[in-house]
Amino acid sequence: MHETTTVDAAAGVLARVTGKLLIGGAWVDGENGVIDVADPATGRTIATVADGSVADGLRALDAAVAAQEAWARTPARERSVILRRAWELLQDRAEDFALLMTLEMGKPLAEARGEVAYGGEFLRWFSEEAVRIDGRYTPNPEGTGTMVVTHRPVGPCYLITPWNFPLAMATRKIAPALAAGCTAVVKPATLTPLTTLAFAQLLTDAGLPDGVVNVVTTRSTGALSDAILADPRLRKLSFTGSTPVGVALLKKAADGVLKTSMELGGNAPFVVFEDADLDAAVDGAMLAKFRNIGQACTAANRFIVQDTVADEFVRRISDRVRQLTVGPGTDPGVQIGPLVEPKAVDNAVRLVAEARQHGAEVVTGGAAIPGDGAFFQPTVIDRVGADMSVAVEEIFGPIVAVQRFTTEAEAVALANATEYGLVGYVYTQDTRRGQRMIDLIDTGMMGLNVGVVSNAAGPFGGVKRSGLGREGGAEGIHEYLETKYTLMPTPYA
Ligand code: NAD
């Protein structure tokens, strides 16, 4: 019975997504045909979307450029109202969006519903920020002039999103861009384009004028992006994805001296001190590791546990991990869905095999699950070495990898022994130690006795090779604004 309902609901939700490109308010075919979109739980094609050409991409940029001036002049209150309406429509369509994300990406429905709530908050937050873009009017220190500082939209933006949070990564860019008065070309990940297409339709339904947001899906990602980045009319690139691709894009953006925001990879340390509340630490660890099947840039990648409590931590977390229910994200009660594609399973297999070969101990799990879907067993590995691939690379799968330490200084050194610096998690009941960790762990974000930090009101972003700029919070809108300073003579001279 339940199964039939889901199948019907899936057919309905998929039928409502147009698989075309959105350019200048019109849904159009791609010049290069279509791309299949697969359900990672079954490997079956569930939809097709347009395969846009380089020329399609440039037409999308034409549309964004044409719409820029009028959108920048649209009163902030009107921009705010459209974003607010989009948030309201998203609440009405929450179930559709949740199911769509589960179908194209694999995350369990409960988590997909969580992403609708989280992703939606960027619309509500930036609808509130749109009307608070302020400036300064002040005498200069010499008293000879008046200084005026204003903020203006940076101009047409190119927004590239990853597959792991198909809705939230789109709203986290689109909402501040629109609030600031920028137009955009959006390119979702080729694995998960359906949610962005449905969201673009929602924006149209919320009253967004034609051409303000354009969406291109393509298999020619590199060529299409190169052409857009090389066009001098583009003023901003915001990218979320892997560090190697981000670095390559930064180099291309340098030619146009584009304003850039880069949300790149992570390798989060999750440090557990002997003075931690161990129950809370295990709860936090389950969230920090298994949310999104471990496929989050914020996922705890390295569990760094004080040796006096490490055996107990490993025992407790292994018990919890053995109880996780694995299956298609649409099945009720499932906690761990498939990985996004078979390649991701191969990667998890490689990481575990290499760790085992170098002396780590697989406590539970550690293998791919046979069948059509891209499933991997929830896994715990103990006695991981800091130089093993499972500690050095982003795991992006359901694997808890535990390293042990003796002193606080050792914990800090291990936590910082990575090229990444997105987020760190620390569990301790010693407030002074917690304060030291905030200072000493070199990341853009920190969870102190919590396992998830993401919040539309917080500035999300990393240091080192994890990125540039911040999304969300009061900071997020400034990524889409330029500062203009004007000097005029004092009116009193
Ligand atoms: P990816 O780098 O493979 O792809 C990201 C996007 O870039 C996709 O839309 C892809 O089509 C596009 N892309 C790929 N090659 C390109 C090229 N040559 N030119 C232009 N665009 C190109 O990353 P992914 O596998 O989709 O996502 C996972 C990665 O994203 C992980 O490294 C994860 O840590 C990171 N991520 C970071 C954050 C953050 O906020 N820091 C959030 C989510 C994901």
Side-chain angles (χ1 to χ4, degrees):
M1 171 67 187
H2 173 84
E3 189 128 306
T4 316
T5 313
T6 307
V7 169
D8 290 348
V13 84
L14 290 168
R16 284 192 283 281
V17 181
T18 153
K20 299 190 175 203
L21 311 173
L22 179 62
I23 299 180
W27 291 100
V28 297
D29 289 326
E31 282 188 340
N32 290 347
V34 294
I35 311 170
D36 289 341
V37 180
D39 174 352
T42 61
R44 282 200 289 271
T45 298
I46 50 171
T48 59
V49 297
D51 187 0
S53 66
V54 169
D56 288 326
L58 288 174
R59 274 193 283 276
L61 181 60
D62 291 343
V65 170
Q68 177 58 58
E69 197 178 326
W71 183 244
R73 294 234 173 95
T74 300
R77 176 60 71 198
E78 279 181 40
R79 300 200 301 265
S80 164
V81 165
I82 290 171
L83 284 169
R84 174 76 191 197
R85 224 182 278 139
W87 176 75
E88 283 161 4
L89 280 178
L90 187 61
Q91 309 315 302
D92 296 343
R93 302 181 193 174
E95 277 303 298
D96 272 14
F97 274 90
L99 184 53
L100 201 52
M101 277 193 277
T102 294
L103 290 171
E104 68 173 340
M105 184 271 166
K107 68 182 73 190
L109 257 180
E111 284 198 38
R113 291 187 182 113
E115 182 173 345
V116 174
Y118 168 56
E121 281 308 315
F122 290 99
L123 299 168
R124 184 155 67 161
W125 175 262
F126 285 108
S127 82
E128 291 156 354
E129 292 295 283
V131 289
R132 313 208 194 294
I133 300 170
D134 55 13
R136 295 202 298 278
Y137 180 97
T138 174
N140 66 358
E142 298 75 21
T144 56
T146 301
M147 309 172 91
V148 179
V149 178
T150 54
H151 297 291
R152 311 192 308 168
V154 64
C157 304
Y158 186 35
L159 311 179
I160 304 178
T161 58
W163 50 262
N164 60 346
F165 291 96
L167 179 69
M169 297 303 97
T171 56
R172 205 163 78 173
K173 297 185 189 307
I174 296 171
L178 298 183
C182 296
T183 61
V185 175
V186 183
K187 197 210 78 60
T190 316
L191 287 171
T192 59
L194 303 175
T195 304
T196 304
L197 294 170
F199 182 64
Q201 180 63 55
L202 181 149
L203 287 174
T204 305
D205 298 345
L208 192 70
D210 291 349
V212 174
V213 167
N214 307 276
V215 182
V216 286
T217 49
T218 181
R219 235 191 305 251
S220 319
T221 306
L224 184 145
S225 299
D226 288 357
I228 291 181
L229 290 172
D231 192 307
R233 298 172 301 167
L234 185 75
R235 293 313 316 140
K236 160 98 194 175
L237 166 66
S238 179
F239 170 80
T240 298
S242 60
T243 295
V245 174
V247 169
L249 291 173
L250 263 178
K251 289 179 181 162
K252 288 171 185 160
D255 284 338
V257 194
L258 296 183
K259 197 173 167 82
T260 53
S261 305
M262 292 280 147
E263 297 287 352
L264 308 179
N267 181 353
F270 188 108
V271 184
V272 181
F273 285 100
E274 62 188 358
D275 56 28
D277 171 341
L278 218 52
D279 286 332
V282 171
D283 285 345
M286 293 299 291
L287 267 178
K289 180 73 247 181
F290 291 102
R291 193 169 71 109
N292 222 37
I293 317 138
Q295 302 167 115
C297 52
T298 51
N301 214 59
R302 294 168 298 146
F303 287 85
I304 298 170
V305 185
Q306 197 150 20
D307 43 18
T308 42
V309 292
D311 285 346
E312 183 61 12
F313 178 83
V314 169
R315 191 185 63 73
R316 289 199 204 180
I317 198 160
S318 301
D319 284 349
R320 293 278 292 273
V321 168
R322 285 188 196 99
Q323 288 163 28
L324 289 170
T325 308
V326 183
T330 45
D331 282 6
V334 160
Q335 293 159 296
I336 302 290
L339 295 179
V340 72
E341 58 179 338
K343 260 196 299 189
V345 177
D346 297 343
N347 191 48
V349 168
R350 174 185 66 87
L351 291 173
V352 173
E354 201 199 276
R356 194 183 257 138
Q357 197 187 338
H358 288 93
E361 179 193 337
V362 178
V363 182
T364 183
I369 300 175
D372 292 335
F375 292 96
F376 189 82
Q377 293 173 338
T379 296
V380 178
I381 316 178
D382 195 6
R383 300 188 183 278
V384 165
D387 53 355
M388 292 180 191
S389 299
V390 76
V392 175
E393 298 174 21
E394 272 193 293
I395 298 174
F396 253 59
I399 302 172
V400 174
V402 179
Q403 305 177 39
R404 296 169 177 231
F405 71 90
T406 306
T407 65
E408 183 181 302
E410 225 182 295
V412 171
L414 280 172
N416 289 337
T418 170
E419 61 183 17
Y420 296 108
L422 189 60
V423 61
Y425 305 93
V426 171
Y427 274 76
T428 174
Q429 295 191 89
D430 178 339
T431 313
R432 285 160 55 84
R433 170 175 273 160
Q435 286 174 273
R436 283 195 298 278
M437 292 304 107
I438 294 171
D439 273 352
L440 297 175
I441 294 188
D442 203 7
T443 53
M445 300 179 285
M446 178 73 95
L448 187 54
N449 296 316
V450 297
V452 176
V453 296
S454 304
N455 189 303
F460 189 105
V463 299
K464 295 159 77 180
R465 280 167 66 88
S466 285
L468 295 171
R470 295 293 179 268
E471 291 189 322
E475 291 80 356
I477 199 165
H478 284 280
E479 301 283 321
Y480 296 90
L481 293 168
E482 288 289 12
T483 300
K484 182 150 194 179
Y485 152 62
T486 305
L487 181 66
M488 39 199 175
T490 175
Y492 301 108

